[in-house]
């Protein structure tokens, strides 16, 4: 599209750049779904910018709907939530360059401590008591203190608490089988959490808040709920267990920027991997793999325009995709929905995940910075 036509579109008001819109009402509905399934406190996990939906937007909607805690991976993410006025307790759990006790205390956030070394380093620098959650490995071998060293970690935490450098306020684990609705498979992690809680109590550290489950456990297995559940994917409508219909909380739209009539036998895109088999119309959307559209061959992928689904054809380019609209010739500026809350012809994140052979999380967290953000 040349400069003149862009200017004309802007003037006519039809031009709306590619936009990822977040739907706070869907986040609220998803929190309500969780609350219907558990009496435990709900922590809204808004890491990775709220799974691509905007951490502050998702956090505000979730807290307003009854989430009592927030969770992020870093203290920096937590600071942004505090700066936005969110006052509920916040837990952070990844500290690749060590826990910054001063920043944690200044921001008023809790930190998860997943190893004896991490706790030792924290105790060496903590001036005022830092609120900590002992992160126990309950079978994932990705984070948390391995079982063989729980006693050592708990003993060190007790000494740290006596010296007023830390306060143990939580005990956490994580379920390795996030994408399976199978209570039997969670049993050993649940037993591990009970054991960790007993050991902490026996050490004279009281009964700190215990938390194990993420979205899948919250939706499918009450035995995993303990005092709090940590829900991330479910907030934005993704159910990894595939058992509950949640509410999609985002919508990606893009305007048609170019439309042409194409005769049968027209090759489309790089290498001409798609050739029209009839006279048709082709439209271009200004989104490509640099914006997070999967580049893998996606023969079933399509977008919604005015209530109908049209296929994406040819290779996905860095900045553009082409759709085949058949007999329809949509004018430039017509809005296409790439994904949104499922229903009718609109593809959902689940559809994209299936087309690309991945999970919905990677689609929505992959939408790039050129795409404008808005809130419904
Ligand atoms: C991401 C994360 C969660 C949330 O998981 P979902 O499946 O997205 O709900 C919970 N706990 C920890 C430790 C996490 O890293």
């Amino acid at each position: 599209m040349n400069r003149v036509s862009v200017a004309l579109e802007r003037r006519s008001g039809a031009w709306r750049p590619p936009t990822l819109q977040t739907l706070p009402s869907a986040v609220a509905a998803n929190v309500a779904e969780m609350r219907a399934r558990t009496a435990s406190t709900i922590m809204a996990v808004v890491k990775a910018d709220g799974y691509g939906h905007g951490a502050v937007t998702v956090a505000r909607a979730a807290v307003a709907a009854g989430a009592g805690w927030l969770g992020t991976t870093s203290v920096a993410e937590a600071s942004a939530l505090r700066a936005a006025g969110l006052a509920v307790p916040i837990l952070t759990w990844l500290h690749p360059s060590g826990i910054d006790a001063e920043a944690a205390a200044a921001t008023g956030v809790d930190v998860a401590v997943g190893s004896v070394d991490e706790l030792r380093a924290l105790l060496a620098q903590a001036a005022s008591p830092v609120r900590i959650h002992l992160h126990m490995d309950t079978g994932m071998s990705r984070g948390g203190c391995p079982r063989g060293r729980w006693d050592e970690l708990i003993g060190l935490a007790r000494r740290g608490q006596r010296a007023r450098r830390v306060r143990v306020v939580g005990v956490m684990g994580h379920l390795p089988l996030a994408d399976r609705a199978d209570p039997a498979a969670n049993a050993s992690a649940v037993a591990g959490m009970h054991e960790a809680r007993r050991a902490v109590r026996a050490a004279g550290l009281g009964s700190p808040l215990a938390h194990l489950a993420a979205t899948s456990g919250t939706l499918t297995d009450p035995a995993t709920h303990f005092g709090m559940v940590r829900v991330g994917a479910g907030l934005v409508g993704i159910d990894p267990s595939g058992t509950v219909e949640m509410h999609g909380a985002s919508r990606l739209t893009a305007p048609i920027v170019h439309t042409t009539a194409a005769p049968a036998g027209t090759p489309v895109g790089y290498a001409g991997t798609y050739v029209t088999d009839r006279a048709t119309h082709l439209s271009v959307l200004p989104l490509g793999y640099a914006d997070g559209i999967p580049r893998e061959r996606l023969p079933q992928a399509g977008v919604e325009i005015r209530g109908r689904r049209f296929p994406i054809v040819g290779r996905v380019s860095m900045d553009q995709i082409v759709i085949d609209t058949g007999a329809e010739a949509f004018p430039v500026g017509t809005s296409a929905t790439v994904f949104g809350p499922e229903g009718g012809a609109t593809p959902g994140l689940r559809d994209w995940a299936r087309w690309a052979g991945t999970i919905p999380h990677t689609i929505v967290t992959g939408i790039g910075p050129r795409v404008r953000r808005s809130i419904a």
Side-chain angles (χ1 to χ4, degrees):
M1 195 149 119
N2 63 35
R3 252 209 224 114
V4 174
S5 57
V6 169
L8 281 174
E9 281 306 316
R10 287 216 171 110
R11 206 169 310 148
S12 73
W15 180 264
R16 197 155 178 268
T19 302
L20 181 65
Q21 188 180 45
T22 298
L23 315 171
S25 59
V27 175
N30 291 326
V31 172
E33 293 273 356
M34 301 292 171
R35 294 184 71 187
R37 284 175 174 77
T38 186
S40 302
T41 298
I42 291 176
M43 173 191 286
V45 176
V46 294
K47 65 191 182 192
D49 198 24
Y51 292 51
H53 290 64
V56 169
T57 305
V58 175
R60 280 191 179 136
V63 168
W69 282 62
L70 293 170
T72 64
T73 51
S74 73
V75 174
E77 287 173 312
S79 304
L81 298 172
R82 286 279 181 256
L86 288 150
V88 300
I90 304 179
L91 172 66
T92 65
W93 54 80
L94 291 183
H95 317 284
S97 48
I99 296 169
D100 183 340
E102 206 175 313
T107 315
V109 301
D110 296 9
V111 295
V113 175
S115 75
V116 171
D117 289 346
E118 207 171 36
L119 183 53
R120 237 180 236 131
L122 176 63
L123 292 173
Q125 49 151 331
S128 53
V130 176
R131 288 165 51 97
I132 65 170
H133 297 232
L134 297 176
H135 182 183
M136 308 308 208
D137 184 355
T138 50
M140 191 150 178
S141 304
R142 180 192 72 176
C145 181
R147 214 183 192 97
R149 302 193 72 183
W150 286 5
D151 288 346
E152 204 181 334
L153 182 72
I154 292 168
L156 190 60
R158 182 181 49 196
R159 290 197 293 284
Q161 181 152 309
R162 289 218 175 114
R164 295 185 189 283
R165 286 168 190 270
V166 293
R167 206 148 75 73
V168 179
V169 297
V171 183
M172 78 183 268
H174 199 35
L175 292 172
L177 298 170
D179 56 359
R180 269 182 33 210
D182 183 1
N186 294 330
S188 92
V190 169
M193 267 312 278
H194 284 294
E195 195 185 313
R197 260 201 333 187
R198 273 195 301 273
V200 166
R201 198 176 301 143
L205 290 167
S207 301
L209 187 58
H211 44 103
L212 173 68
T215 296
S216 182
T218 304
L219 293 175
T220 62
D221 185 2
T224 64
H225 292 183
F226 291 89
M228 180 161 70
V229 294
R230 303 184 307 267
V231 176
L235 293 178
V236 298
I238 298 169
D239 169 17
S241 74
T243 57
V244 179
E245 288 299 320
M246 307 294 286
H247 307 266
S250 57
R251 180 183 287 119
L252 177 63
T253 57
I256 289 175
V257 293
H258 185 70
T259 290
T260 49
T266 306
V268 178
Y270 285 116
T273 56
Y274 177 82
V275 179
T276 58
D277 60 0
R278 69 215 185 294
T280 187
H281 292 89
L282 301 172
S283 283
V284 177
L285 299 178
L287 280 174
Y289 60 77
D291 304 296
I293 304 297
R295 188 185 171 280
E296 296 80 4
R297 212 173 88 76
L298 311 171
Q300 298 156 294
V303 301
E304 179 271 341
I305 302 172
R306 294 186 187 163
R308 289 168 60 196
R309 178 82 61 87
F310 296 100
I312 295 171
V313 294
R315 283 204 183 142
V316 170
S317 298
M318 185 181 282
D319 307 302
Q320 301 175 88
I321 50 180
V322 178
I323 50 180
D324 185 334
T325 63
E328 299 280 351
F330 291 109
V332 166
T334 305
S335 181
T337 302
V338 179
F339 60 73
E342 288 171 29
T346 302
L349 288 172
R350 271 196 298 201
D351 294 307
W352 276 95
R354 199 178 60 248
W355 295 333
T358 181
I359 56 176
H361 316 51
T362 70
I363 302 292
V364 71
T365 58
I367 301 304
R370 298 192 298 198
V371 175
R372 206 179 68 138
R373 264 61 178 177
S374 77
I375 302 170

